[in-house]
Amino acid sequence: MIDPVTNALTPEAKFLLFALFMAILVLVAVIVLVAIIRGLPRRKFNKEYGIDLSRQIKVKHRKQALGGDGFFTLGWPVWASAKKDGTRDRRVKGNSIIWISSVLDIDGWHLEGKDPFVFYWVVNKLRAQGNRIRLCSEEADKRQWLLAEAASQAKSDSIDEIIARFESRPSEFEAYCADIFTALGWEAEVTPPVRDGGFDLRLRDTQGQTIIAECKCYAPANRVGRPVIQKLHGANAIEGADRMMVITTSTFSSDAVLYANQVDIELFDGDRLFELQEMAWGSYSDAKPVTEYDCRLTTAELKEYCPEDMFY
């Protein structure tokens, strides 16, 4: 390849080097051209909708636009090897997350992306611009839950209806009472069912006073007795709240009323519970309708669909 006399490249060597250089130049040009061509749909989409899409989202332009509202599905990550509850199986070496693609079809566009958090941000960004996109299955589930919640918060026709709703799920009656106070502008927290400290709710009213409350979903014939009042009073010796309440769907025995007056515990029977309920939510016809915006998923709700130990 080198002339031994002149110690220079031979014409053949120069030609090969030139051909190699040209081949590399053509290859680079092809790579750049392919990148430009592949990026055209993304740039066109960004220009049309005013959104700077993440590179991780693939964009395709359909020859024929789909009519009607856009629609999408969210794909959720899973462990390649997981336990029955969906958590990571640490006995497997090199275990990894498998990302299932999310898909959106809107107008003449088809989008795919593996990160549901980024993808959902894009969907809601499009919605905020006035683009109609139908609820995904997770949002539809939330809508059904919100409708059921709104119905449960509506003023019941009878005390028997409340009792029938919560008699087999007393912990939900506690949450129901907490929701009433929250609607009235108070802070409300349901204590854990185990080691609840002898009361069901921690409350803070609009004046900043702290309150502990015990909730009893009893049939009308089953009155709340003095022991329940004594237990709450004893619990407050440790909690140190400003006020104490006992809330029931029933009534209170005479001994319970007498003792409550002595230790300054407020009693809410079924009638007073109805009054609070009406103050909080009014009648069913007054219930606030569930809007599509209400069905949007929060970051915390999105995380519930992912493996619980994925973020550790």
Side-chain angles (χ1 to χ4, degrees), residues 38-228:
R38 287 183 175 178
L40 284 176
R42 183 185 307 277
R43 286 195 292 273
K44 189 174 181 181
F45 182 92
N46 291 348
K47 184 177 180 181
E48 182 175 341
Y49 293 97
I51 296 178
D52 187 14
L53 284 181
S54 168
R55 289 283 177 183
Q56 63 180 269
I57 296 181
K58 299 178 182 178
V59 185
K60 293 181 182 179
H61 191 271
R62 293 181 177 275
K63 293 182 179 179
Q64 186 173 1
L66 298 174
D69 297 344
F71 56 92
F72 74 107
T73 59
L74 291 174
W76 302 105
V78 295
W79 286 111
S81 297
K83 300 176 184 177
K84 289 183 179 180
D85 60 1
T87 59
R88 182 176 181 176
D89 187 345
R90 300 188 184 278
R91 295 170 298 176
V92 179
K93 293 184 178 179
N95 197 5
S96 61
I97 289 287
I98 298 176
W99 296 88
I100 310 299
S101 291
S102 300
V103 176
L104 167 66
D105 286 286
I106 180 171
D107 300 328
W109 298 97
H110 177 82
L111 278 63
E112 291 187 18
K114 291 186 176 180
D115 188 327
F117 297 90
V118 173
F119 202 84
Y120 194 60
W121 178 87
V122 171
V123 169
N124 285 329
K125 187 76 172 178
L126 290 167
R127 284 169 164 167
Q129 296 175 352
N131 298 288
R132 293 285 302 168
I133 301 176
R134 281 178 273 171
L135 301 179
C136 65
S137 62
E138 292 80 5
E139 290 174 325
D141 289 342
K142 183 175 180 178
R143 182 175 185 273
Q144 291 301 315
W145 181 86
L146 289 172
L147 288 172
E149 187 72 6
S152 71
Q153 290 178 351
K155 185 176 182 297
S156 301
D157 293 331
S158 69
I159 197 70
D160 291 335
E161 185 178 328
I162 294 180
I163 295 169
R165 186 188 306 164
F166 298 114
E167 64 180 348
S168 62
R169 302 184 302 277
S171 61
E172 292 186 19
F173 176 68
E174 297 159 12
Y176 164 80
C177 293
D179 287 343
I180 288 178
F181 288 107
T182 300
L184 293 172
W186 294 25
E187 296 178 21
E189 174 193 357
V190 179
T191 59
V194 179
R195 298 179 182 177
D196 61 5
F199 55 94
D200 298 319
L201 303 179
R202 280 190 180 91
L203 306 167
R204 185 182 296 273
D205 65 16
T206 54
Q207 306 302 316
Q209 287 190 309
T210 57
I211 304 103
I212 60 172
E214 181 72 3
C215 305
K216 295 296 183 183
C217 184
Y218 285 174
N222 186 10
R223 296 188 297 174
V224 177
R226 176 170 172 154
V228 173

Side-chain angles (χ1 to χ4, degrees), residues 272-291:
R272 289 194 68 185
L273 180 59
F274 269 132
E275 292 175 6
L276 286 177
Q277 181 182 242
E278 191 165 45
M279 288 171 59
W281 301 310
S283 64
Y284 183 77
S285 60
D286 297 330
K288 180 183 175 183
V290 175
T291 66

